Structures are given as structure tokens and as C-alpha cells.
Amino acid sequence: MAVLTPCLPEPSQKADNGALTALIVGQLAVAASPILVRLTGQDPIDSAAGRMWIAVPILLAWSLIAPTPEKSRWSLKDIALVILAGVAFALDLAGMHAAIATGSVTNATFLVNLAPVLMVLAAWGLFGQRPSGRQAGALGIACLGGVALSFDTLGRGGADPMSDVYGVGSAIAFAAYMLIVQRLRARHASGPVMLWSSLACALTLAPMALADGKGFEMPATLGGLAALIALGSLVHAFGQGLTAVGLGRLSAAAVAPFLLLQPVATAVAVPFVVGEAVSLPQAVGCGLILASLALIRLKGRRG
């Protein structure tokens, strides 16, 4: 059964290049996410919820203005899938923001980006797409990288070891989100998919943000507010939106290597923007994870 690449249309070389460009630009924009989360100064769930409510009206405008040559009817199954995608992304954001707030920005970013590896496990366990020896070796290398990052977290005073748990949970949720969005993009335009999944995400995050009894708290400074607006517009509406455009024209095998752009760009920027130095265990862990992701080659099959 084709799930990772469900009957993707055969793109022309020009369309393929356009999809790659969209994916690259989108991932570079998403790379700003961990830094902007830290700069908002908000509770992690508040910043996650706020970014989504900022993104929804932008995505609504995109859906109304952009041409939709891929129009098709939304079945009940599609509606259920787009809601599930929103819930998965809400769990991803909650986990990622919590990981950033309680631990290292670099650690959080790289653990969250285990998602391509987890996509291999999901494809094997759920759809019988057994990984090759090369893919299994990559998974082992990724696990070693995760151990290196965890050792660094435990050795840093004031860091919460749970931050790594949040990061891994976020990766699991993001892998599910990517698989679902790719399936939906095989039948629907990126604008509506992003709009309805983002609305479902915002509605999922709203009660989570109110659960602490303090209500939703806005950033305390203008700089924090600007960071929150950038999270909603630059990172989600623009970055994730362009990523969804790429997912509609590329297989998982083509997408996975380009997801490495996000953690690399974040790790390069963090020392300059946040002032958080990259330690030797982090460098080793990040290198191992990058090596593992570079080895992953998901093979989409037509059913």
C-alpha cells in the first residue's frame, strides 16, 4: 500500500525544481523557530498556541487567493486526516516548545529532527515497508547521537532531563504530521491542507494553553511580540506552507535529506543570536544524527 508517497503525480523537471526550491526555502524559514520561541519569553504552550492563531488568517488569505488546480472533493476520511494532522502538529509544537524552554536549543532542534528516522520505523511497523540494511544502520547511528545529546543534558546544571523526552515526543508527532500531510497533498492543494490542519492545531492548543490556570499570556515585551508574530507568519504560514508545497510534488526519499537544512541552520545561528555555545558532546551528537539522516533513503512505492 502506498502511504509515504501516495500516488504522487509525475512532476516535470521544472515542477520538480520548483518543489525543491519551495522545500529548501521553507526549511530555512522553519529553522528560525527554536530561536524565536526562546525570544518570545512566553510559556512554551502559550507561544505554540499564539503562533497558530497568527498563522490561520494568513493561511485563509492564501487559500482564497491562490489558484487551486488540484481541486477535489474532501471525503470524510480526508477531513478526519486533516484534523489528525492538526492534532499531531499541536503535540509536536507543545513538545518542541517545552524542550526548548527546559533544555538546550540545539539539543531540542536535533532531537525533534529525528522525525525522518521515525518515519522509517512507522513505514515498517504500520505498512510493512521493511528498512534496508543501510537504513537500519542509520537508525543505530541516530540512537548513538541521541545518547550523546542526553549525556550533555544531564551534565548541564539547571537543565531539565525531561527536555530530551519532550524532544523525542515532538519528533514522533512531527513524523506523523508529515506522513499525513503528504497523503493529503496527493489529492488537495497546499493552501486548504495547511489552513484546516492549522485550525485544528490551534483548537487543540487552546485548552492546553489555558490548563495552567493563568490563561493565555502575551509576550511581555515588544521584542517578544515581534518574535511571536514571526513564528506565526515566517515560520508556520511561510515556512511550513512552502514545505507542504514541496511535499505535494516530491517523494519521502527526496524530502528527507532536505529536512537536514533546518537543524544545521539553527545550530549555526544559535551561538550568535542566543549566545548558547555548542559543546563537544552536542557537536558529536549532532554529527552522528546528521550522518544517520543522510543515510536514510525512504522508498515510496505505488500501490
Side-chain angles (χ1 to χ4, degrees):
M1 177 183 295
V3 175
L4 293 182
T5 53
C7 300
L8 291 174
E10 294 291 345
S12 64
Q13 185 63 42
K14 182 177 180 180
D16 188 68
N17 290 339
L20 283 175
T21 300
L23 184 63
I24 292 170
V25 175
Q27 285 302 294
L28 290 176
V30 172
S33 179
I35 296 171
L36 292 172
V37 170
R38 181 69 62 85
L39 293 178
T40 65
Q42 289 178 287
D43 174 85
I45 303 300
D46 285 351
S47 61
R51 73 189 271 180
M52 298 309 301
W53 287 112
I54 290 170
V56 164
I58 299 174
L59 293 170
L60 175 60
W62 176 17
S63 297
L64 293 175
I65 296 172
T68 54
E70 304 169 54
K71 284 182 180 179
S72 62
R73 296 183 61 182
W74 283 73
S75 66
L76 290 178
K77 183 178 179 180
D78 290 340
I79 293 171
L81 283 175
V82 81
I83 292 173
L84 184 59
V87 172
F89 197 67
L91 295 177
D92 165 48
L93 286 181
M96 184 192 72
H97 286 215
I100 293 167
T102 58
S104 157
V105 170
T106 306
N107 267 26
T109 303
F110 276 87
L111 286 173
V112 166
N113 280 277
L114 282 170
V117 177
L118 298 177
M119 288 171 68
V120 176
L121 290 175
W124 184 11
L126 297 177
F127 314 120
Q129 296 182 3
R130 184 174 181 175
S132 65
R134 182 175 183 175
Q135 291 172 333
L139 292 174
I141 295 172
C143 289
L144 291 176
V147 170
L149 290 176
S150 296
F151 278 144
D152 178 75
T153 300
L154 293 171
R156 283 184 284 108
D160 184 354
M162 281 297 293
S163 65
D164 288 344
V165 176
Y166 297 141
V168 172
S170 177
I172 294 172
F174 187 65
Y177 167 78
M178 292 285 284
L179 290 172
I180 297 169
V181 168
Q182 188 165 51
R183 179 163 187 165
L184 288 169
R185 282 287 292 116
R187 298 188 295 277
H188 302 287
S190 51
V193 170
M194 285 300 300
L195 171 62
W196 297 117
S197 63
S198 298
L199 182 58
C201 179
L203 292 173
T204 302
L205 287 169
M208 296 170 65
L210 299 175
D212 59 5
K214 298 183 295 184
F216 177 79
E217 297 180 348
M218 292 292 291
T221 66
L222 287 177
L225 180 60
L228 181 61
I229 293 172
L231 274 171
S233 57
L234 173 66
V235 171
H236 190 74
F238 181 74
Q240 293 293 357
L242 285 180
T243 299
V245 170
L247 283 172
R249 302 297 301 182
L250 300 170
S251 68
V255 169
F258 289 95
L259 296 180
L260 299 178
L261 289 172
Q262 179 188 341
V264 170
T266 302
V268 170
V270 159
F272 302 99
V273 180
V274 180
E276 184 180 284
V278 177
S279 69
L280 179 59
Q282 283 179 319
V284 172
C286 291
L288 288 170
I289 291 173
L290 283 173
S292 73
L293 294 178
L295 290 174
I296 291 296
R297 292 295 184 271
L298 295 174
K299 294 183 179 180
R301 297 186 179 94
R302 294 181 182 279

